[in-house]
């Protein structure tokens, strides 16, 4: 079964992996807002922010190439809109679109690459995101690769028979739907048999320790500092 | 179309995030009450199905193919509130884990696809799904769902100052229409295939007059969003109108007026949508 590289990265043991999820979540949110609300001298500020993100990547002992290329999945989309803005005579907007979208994607990627999803979900639950939604999110993530693999088998089988017509593709999707539904009911019964009452109980609570507070203050202050210094100097 | 971070201006994403929070809360509560909490695995696996469904390509001729988006299909099979929760969960996973769509832009994306897309996809089915025009209603649901999401996303981008040549804008509207028709056809074909496999899957529309209120709000917002997009395809017309009617700075006046109107109307949609979901669950 195919797994997401992020899953593997998030199980590291660096100092950053050990910080409380809430501190990383808040730091990432601060970074996103600081980047989103900046308007002047963007290329220069972006260098500073990129430096911070690279530092975090190295400190977390994550593969630099892997992080940079994975964050780049936003670039094709951004490039199209940047090109359109450029054609309309707004090169400033074009540059901002590319820089902001790439930096933001990197920041979110670093958050999930240093925090396992269940822990992230728990801190979102503490932030009063509806628990039902978060439980759905966890099941969704657990079964994506299972159902995707089933779809891939169906696609391979269809290709071996000479491809799908529109009608056959609809039938295939209906079968996939029915199978997913049956699988979901089986999972549901199995979980009820094991005493599942609608939410997960963590075995260990993660406490917010002094190092987490230090990290939170530093990680929130540095992006802001980059921006302030950049705007004052220029 | 998932909007990444960095595309929306601060007033736009902040407002829409603030609106998406209560909407998501209402949808989660309504789905939970109608479904009982322990059914979360079902919604999760159906979300995984929507992910996987994108791997099955529907040939549409000339070597091109499309795939299911899913808002309308989920709404017809699970009901509007659970469908909205599933779509929200998908968007959250895509934003956080797959870098597909932004995190600050999650609120806007949720409103476009999980609230407006699902509502627009369910409304025709709700109104005519039980009668003679059942198939047409399902088709219309798929079309409206994609069209509503796309027009909202486009208008949010334009309000945020992303520039597009009018000709490109017109072409992309055409492409949206084509993919909306495709979604309608796919949704209709999958629902009829499902009914052949096992008739119980597709729920009969329940009577909920509050949905009409939600639909009305949605209609108003789409009209405003469509107005923003249309105005951007024909800026010359607006300019000359403004100059003739004696407004000194036509573009600036138009820009701020349109953004305020858009934000107010989106607020109205949310109020209506939230009230609808609360009534459904009561």
């Amino acid at each position: 079964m195919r797994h997401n590289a992020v899953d593997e990265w998030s199980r590291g043991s660096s100092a950053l992996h050990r910080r409380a999820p809430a501190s990383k979540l808040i730091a990432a949110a601060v970074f996103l807002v600081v980047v989103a609300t900046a308007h002047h001298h963007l290329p220069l500020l972006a260098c500073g922010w990129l430096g911070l993100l690279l530092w975090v990547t190295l400190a977390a002992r994550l593969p630099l190439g892997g992080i940079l290329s994975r964050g780049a999945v936003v670039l094709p989309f951004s490039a199209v809109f940047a090109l359109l803005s450029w054609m309309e005579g707004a090169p400033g907007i074009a540059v901002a679109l590319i820089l902001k979208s790439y930096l933001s994607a990197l920041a979110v990627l670093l958050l999930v690459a240093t925090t396992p999803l269940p822990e992230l979900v728990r801190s979102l639950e503490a932030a009063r995101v509806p628990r039902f939604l978060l439980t759905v999110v966890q099941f969704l993530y657990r079964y994506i690769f299972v159902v995707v693999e089933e779809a891939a088998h169906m696609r391979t089988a269809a290709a071996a028979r000479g491809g799908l017509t529109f009608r056959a593709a609809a039938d295939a999707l209906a079968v996939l739907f029915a199978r997913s539904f049956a699988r979901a009911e089986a999972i549901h019964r199995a979980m009820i048999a094991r005493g599942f009452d609608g939410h997960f109980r963590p075995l260990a609570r993660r406490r917010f320790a002094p190092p987490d507070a230090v990290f939170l203050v530093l990680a929130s202050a540095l992006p802001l500092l980059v921006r302030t210094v950049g705007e004052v100097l220029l | 179309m998932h909007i990444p971070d960095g595309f929306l201006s601060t007033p736009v994403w902040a407002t829409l995030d603030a609106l998406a929070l209560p909407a998501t809360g209402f949808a989660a509560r309504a789905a939970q009450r109608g479904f009982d909490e322990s059914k979360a695995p079902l919604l999760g696996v159906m979300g995984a199905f929507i992910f996987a469904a994108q791997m099955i390509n529907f040939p549409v001729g000339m070597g091109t193919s499309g795939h299911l988006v899913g808002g309308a299909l989920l709404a017809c099979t699970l009901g509007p509130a659970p469908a909205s929760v599933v779509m929200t969960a998908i968007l959250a996973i895509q934003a956080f884990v797959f870098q597909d769509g932004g995190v600050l832009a999650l609120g806007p994306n949720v409103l476009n696809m999980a609230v407006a897309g699902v509502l627009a996809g369910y409304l025709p089915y709700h109104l005519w799904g039980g009668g003679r025009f059942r198939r047409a209603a399902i088709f219309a649901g798929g079309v409206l769902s994609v069209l509503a999401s796309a027009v909202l996303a486009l208008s949010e981008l334009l309000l945020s100052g992303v520039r597009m040549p009018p000709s490109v804008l017109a072409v992309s509207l055409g492409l949206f229409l084509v993919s909306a028709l495709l979604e309608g056809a796919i949704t209709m074909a999958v629902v009829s295939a499902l009914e052949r496999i096992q008739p119980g899957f597709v729920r009969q529309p329940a009577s909920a007059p509050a949905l009409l209120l939600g639909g009305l709000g949605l209609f108003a917002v789409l009209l405003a969003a469509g107005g923003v997009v249309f105005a951007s395809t024909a800026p010359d017309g607006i300019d000359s109108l403004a100059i003739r009617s004696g407004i000194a700075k036509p573009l600036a006046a138009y820009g701020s007026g349109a953004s305020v109107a858009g934000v107010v109307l989106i607020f109205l949609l949310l109020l209506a949508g939230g009230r609808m979901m609360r009534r459904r669950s009561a």
Side-chain angles (χ1 to χ4, degrees), chain A residues 4 6 25 29 32-33 36-37 39 70-71 73-74 77-78 81 84-85 87-90 93 96-97 100-102 104-106 108-109 111-112 117 120 124 130-133 135-137 139-141 143-145 147-149 151-152 154-155 164-167 169-178 180-185 187-188 191-192 196-199, chain B residues 1-8 10 13 21 24-25 27-29 31-32 35-49 51-60 68 73-74 77-78 84-86 88-93 95-101 103-104 154 157 161-166 168 182 185-186 189-190 193-194 196-198 201:
Chain A
N4 195 343
V6 170
L25 192 64
L32 291 181
V33 172
T37 51
H39 295 298
R70 225 194 122 107
V73 294
V74 292
F77 188 87
S78 310
F81 281 90
L84 291 177
S85 291
M87 279 158 59
E88 276 290 87
I93 295 178
L97 285 183
K100 284 183 173 185
S101 62
Y102 188 49
S104 307
L106 280 182
V108 175
L109 182 59
L111 168 68
V112 292
L117 195 72
L120 194 64
L124 285 172
R131 204 172 65 190
F132 184 65
L133 175 65
T135 313
V136 173
V137 165
F139 276 106
L140 172 54
Y141 189 61
Y143 286 101
I144 282 177
F145 296 105
V147 183
V148 161
E149 195 174 66
M154 294 175 87
R155 198 171 60 170
L164 287 170
T165 61
F166 191 92
R167 173 83 190 272
D171 289 349
L173 263 197
V175 169
L176 188 65
F177 186 100
S180 307
F181 208 96
R183 183 194 294 279
E185 297 207 309
I187 293 165
H188 181 214
M191 296 209 64
I192 285 187
F196 181 66
D197 64 349
H199 77 285
Chain B
M1 181 147 111
H2 299 176
I3 304 173
D5 277 332
F7 273 64
L8 298 178
T10 309
W13 64 254
L21 283 176
T24 315
R29 246 169 289 155
Q32 198 175 338
F35 247 62
D36 103 55
E37 193 167 6
S38 60
K39 280 248 168 129
L42 174 69
L43 299 192
V45 177
M46 294 328 288
F49 160 77
F51 253 88
Q54 307 191 345
M55 297 184 68
I56 306 283
N57 286 317
F58 284 73
V60 284
L68 178 78
L73 178 64
L74 283 180
T77 48
L78 301 175
S84 175
V85 171
V86 173
T88 307
I90 292 175
L91 291 169
I93 289 278
F96 276 100
V97 186
F98 295 98
Q99 279 70 54
D100 185 6
V103 168
L104 291 181
L154 201 58
L157 289 175
V162 172
R163 302 272 195 86
M164 259 184 253
V168 173
L182 183 63
I186 294 178
V190 173
L194 263 177
R196 280 199 306 277
I197 295 177
Q198 197 171 328
F201 270 145

Side-chain angles (χ1 to χ4, degrees), chain B residues 158-241:
Chain B
L158 292 171
L159 281 179
S160 299
V162 172
R163 302 272 195 86
M164 259 184 253
S167 55
V168 173
L169 201 58
V171 169
S172 55
L173 279 177
L175 286 178
F176 285 156
L177 192 63
V178 171
S179 51
L181 290 172
L182 183 63
E183 172 79 0
I186 294 178
T187 306
M188 193 173 71
V190 173
V191 168
S192 11
L194 263 177
E195 281 177 331
R196 280 199 306 277
I197 295 177
Q198 197 171 328
F201 270 145
V202 187
R203 49 188 267 142
Q204 292 303 314
S207 60
L211 255 173
L212 283 178
L213 201 70
L216 222 63
L218 179 69
F219 184 67
V221 172
L222 287 177
L223 217 60
V228 170
V229 175
F230 176 75
S232 311
T233 54
D236 300 343
I238 299 262
D239 265 6
S240 62
L241 194 73

